[in-house]
Amino acid sequence: MRKVIVISAHPDDETLGAGGTILKHRAKGDEIYWLITTAVNENQGFSKVRISSREREISSVADKFGIKKTFKLSYPTMSLSSQSLIEMVPKISKIFTEVEPEIIYCLNRSDAHSDHRVTFNAVMACTKSFRYPYIKKVLMYECISETEFAPALPEKVFLPNYYVDITEFMEEKLEIMKIYESELGEHPFPRSLRNIKALATYRGASVGVEFAEAFQLIKYIDK
């Protein structure tokens, strides 16, 4: 059994980028944790009804994935900045110390959404081997509607070099994504079921399987 933690800036990131992989970990009996860095709140104009429905979505998704514990930092959504790092890093460090994850799945460093980029930077500050010796693998996942809209510059390109065959879990991933009904739209909206499946088809074709999720491996320690 391995301990795994998946990092989201917003609920749905984890399902879009690593939903099939999480389900594969569940099938293997691995211990899965989930960290969400932001939340919706009334101060930003979200209704109590929407806040409650979001909490129900998180609970339902966590149940479907078999999450052992969900951690919520609850920073206001769409507000993370470099200033947030001062508080975020020790909070994430405390979570990692509690969980002692072997594998970390994190957002792509150059996604279009600033919440994603700041979350990545905070997480990476908590992966130093001399402080977190249990971490053996750190991977970035792509998040449809954010990763592909990053500036088309060489230093910001997502370079997949690690693939997970999710053929067995593709339909279940789509069913879980349906829980986030308000985040979905019809094609050509990026977050459509058709496009999620199309990306998995393309990634699968790249490595000779029906459906796959792609990651960029940041760190791998063989020990």
Side-chain angles (χ1 to χ4, degrees):
M1 182 196 73
R2 295 176 296 179
K3 291 185 177 182
V4 177
I5 189 164
V6 58
I7 317 292
S8 303
H10 318 100
D12 84 349
D13 295 338
E14 76 300 324
T15 304
L16 290 168
T21 301
I22 297 169
L23 291 169
K24 199 164 190 174
H25 279 294
R26 185 197 67 185
K28 291 179 178 178
D30 291 335
E31 208 169 83
I32 309 165
Y33 297 85
W34 184 14
L35 167 59
I36 308 167
T37 58
T38 74
V40 294
N41 60 68
E42 289 186 77
N43 291 336
Q44 292 181 294
F46 292 95
S47 68
K48 290 182 179 179
V49 172
R50 179 59 187 127
I51 294 169
S52 295
S53 68
R54 174 51 63 88
E55 288 302 309
R56 288 194 298 271
E57 290 170 353
I58 292 170
S59 178
S60 180
V61 168
D63 182 63
K64 296 288 186 184
F65 280 135
I67 303 294
K68 182 170 183 179
K69 185 174 181 179
T70 302
F71 299 91
K72 303 171 186 175
L73 298 188
S74 298
Y75 287 97
T77 187
M78 299 178 289
S79 71
L80 293 184
S81 69
S82 58
Q83 295 301 311
S84 309
L85 290 171
I86 298 172
E87 289 186 358
M88 288 180 69
V89 170
K91 289 180 179 180
I92 293 173
S93 177
K94 184 177 179 180
I95 291 167
F96 284 4
T97 300
E98 175 184 338
V99 173
E100 295 191 349
E102 177 180 334
I103 303 172
I104 297 172
Y105 294 101
C106 190
L107 294 149
N108 176 46
R109 68 184 179 92
S110 55
D111 279 357
H113 203 307
S114 57
D115 284 352
H116 290 208
R117 300 194 302 273
V118 174
T119 296
F120 170 83
N121 288 334
V123 169
M124 285 306 299
C126 300
T127 60
K128 296 175 181 177
S129 298
F130 65 89
R131 285 188 179 153
Y132 313 92
Y134 36 81
I135 297 174
K136 297 179 182 177
K137 192 184 296 185
V138 181
L139 304 107
M140 296 190 306
Y141 61 82
E142 58 184 337
C143 187
I144 197 167
S145 79
E146 298 295 347
T147 304
E148 73 272 27
F149 287 112
L153 301 169
E155 67 272 18
K156 294 186 179 294
V157 175
F158 177 78
L159 299 171
N161 56 10
Y162 187 105
Y163 297 79
V164 176
D165 181 358
I166 64 163
T167 303
E168 183 181 350
F169 306 101
M170 186 68 234
E171 292 307 315
E172 189 173 359
K173 168 176 173 165
L174 295 176
E175 287 302 311
I176 292 173
M177 190 61 208
K178 289 178 184 177
I179 295 171
Y180 298 116
E181 183 179 2
S182 65
E183 302 298 331
L184 290 169
E186 294 297 322
H187 179 76
F189 184 67
R191 289 192 307 275
S192 68
L193 296 178
R194 174 177 166 182
N195 289 333
I196 294 167
K197 195 167 187 177
L199 179 59
T201 301
Y202 172 67
R203 294 307 189 192
S206 300
V207 292
V209 300
E210 189 170 0
F211 299 110
E213 286 172 342
F215 302 87
Q216 186 168 347
L217 181 64
I218 299 298
K219 177 184 288 188
Y220 179 69
I221 304 172
D222 186 357
K223 68 175 182 178

